[in-house]
Amino acid sequence: MGAQIRVYRQKIASTSSMRKMFKAMELIATSRIGKARARVAASLPYANAITRAVSAVSSSSEIDHPLTTEPTQVRRAAVLVLTADRGQAGAYSASIMKQAESLVELLRGEGKEVATYLVGRKGQAYFDFRNRDYVRVWTGGTDNPDFATAREISKVLLEAFAARYEDGGVDEIHVVYTQFKSMVVQEPTVIRLLPLEVVEENAADAKEILPLYEYEPEPEQVLDALLPRYIESRIFAAMLQAAASELASRQRAMKNAGDNATDLIKKYTRLRNTARQAEITQELTEIIAGADALNA
């Protein structure tokens, strides 16, 4: 009986330690989610402004630009998947990989080859475990992305888009990430970056009448300068959305884990008390039986 009590005491102690860790991680995620949401909001004005500029150039001119023209034949598509570097965020990375798998299956069903680019160690571990190939991976700072990484990713993808098919080039670029809707809703999302589909980030601005411009130099040269920056801003915006979603998922997962640990501690405490009461009852029974034996 004493051994059973010791087991429950050890379980209570270990679960209490885990609850402290869960609580600490919940507090860290809660403290960082505000900054992540602020960065998402701060990125919107620039993204909207450059989107309007690209929309104006593309819609007001008859331009045959490689980044805005649909290819006659799509043979290979690039898929950029944004996952997390660390776990303990619930089903965050699993949901992204499920969405990416659906996209890859769709593209292959259309007869397209798929070249995968990964962001985050969870995505890399997913592919390594299954012995599946990927072109390149970026790790570190998924919950606090920097623009330099977004610029590097954009450069690599644009180089692949400009390369010939025989040299490993791609005809389409897709991005799979988690869009931050609220603290309780984060939605896995797929967007096609190239060929360009100009998407306004703010629905109210999407109805705005675009101004007429006179271009100096030619519109093609303006697009050459604008489009790389547009792609950088879209990738960075996706990374910021993914970071906010990761932190929100981790905060929620750690809160649930802490609540479960509290329930386990209550359960083990009740079982320990029951075992202790049974031990006391047994000791009293033995004392009474011994006293009766001596009297007899």
Side-chain angles (χ1 to χ4, degrees), residues 157-173:
L157 292 178
L158 286 174
E159 289 176 352
F161 189 78
R164 298 184 306 169
Y165 172 79
E166 294 77 10
D167 297 330
V170 299
D171 304 305
E172 286 182 346
I173 297 177

Side-chain angles (χ1 to χ4, degrees), residues 92-168:
Y92 170 76
S93 294
S95 299
I96 284 294
M97 294 312 305
K98 182 178 180 180
Q99 188 72 34
E101 292 283 17
S102 299
L103 175 62
V104 169
E105 183 178 353
L106 175 64
L107 294 174
R108 288 176 175 166
E110 296 173 351
K112 304 172 184 177
E113 299 178 26
V114 177
T116 307
Y117 297 79
L118 303 173
V119 176
R121 294 188 179 92
K122 285 298 178 180
Q124 182 183 18
Y126 181 92
F127 275 73
D128 288 342
F129 181 76
R130 290 161 178 79
N131 294 320
R132 293 167 58 178
D133 296 330
Y134 49 88
V135 180
R136 186 164 175 181
V137 61
W138 291 267
T139 60
T142 58
D143 57 355
N144 186 29
D146 59 271
F147 188 73
T149 303
R151 177 173 293 170
E152 181 182 352
I153 295 172
S154 173
K155 181 181 177 181
V156 171
L157 292 178
L158 286 174
E159 289 176 352
F161 189 78
R164 298 184 306 169
Y165 172 79
E166 294 77 10
D167 297 330

Side-chain angles (χ1 to χ4, degrees), residues 257-277:
D259 293 343
N260 292 337
T262 299
D263 293 340
L264 279 176
I265 290 173
K266 291 179 180 179
K267 176 183 175 181
Y268 291 144
T269 301
R270 185 171 61 252
L271 292 173
R272 183 199 62 185
N273 292 340
T274 301
R276 178 59 179 161
Q277 186 64 44

Side-chain angles (χ1 to χ4, degrees), residues 30-71:
T30 302
S31 66
R32 297 181 63 183
I33 187 64
K35 180 180 178 181
R37 296 177 66 180
R39 294 184 71 188
V40 171
S43 69
L44 290 179
Y46 176 79
N48 289 339
I50 196 168
T51 297
R52 285 193 295 270
V54 173
S55 300
V57 179
S58 302
S59 60
S60 63
S61 305
E62 295 296 332
I63 299 175
D64 184 18
H65 195 278
L67 300 185
T68 60
T69 304
E70 291 284 347

Side-chain angles (χ1 to χ4, degrees), residues 40-56 198-206 208 210 230 233-234 237:
V40 171
S43 69
L44 290 179
Y46 176 79
N48 289 339
I50 196 168
T51 297
R52 285 193 295 270
V54 173
S55 300
V198 177
V199 178
E200 188 67 56
E201 295 291 337
N202 192 322
D205 294 334
E208 180 181 346
L210 296 173
Y230 173 78
S233 70
R234 292 299 301 276

Side-chain angles (χ1 to χ4, degrees), residues 3-28:
Q4 190 177 21
I5 294 176
R6 284 195 297 272
V7 169
Y8 288 135
R9 285 174 178 170
Q10 291 172 358
K11 288 184 177 181
I12 291 171
S14 61
T15 307
S16 298
S17 299
M18 293 177 63
R19 183 175 62 177
K20 291 179 182 178
M21 180 187 69
F22 296 148
K23 185 63 175 178
M25 295 186 67
E26 178 191 351
L27 292 175
I28 292 172

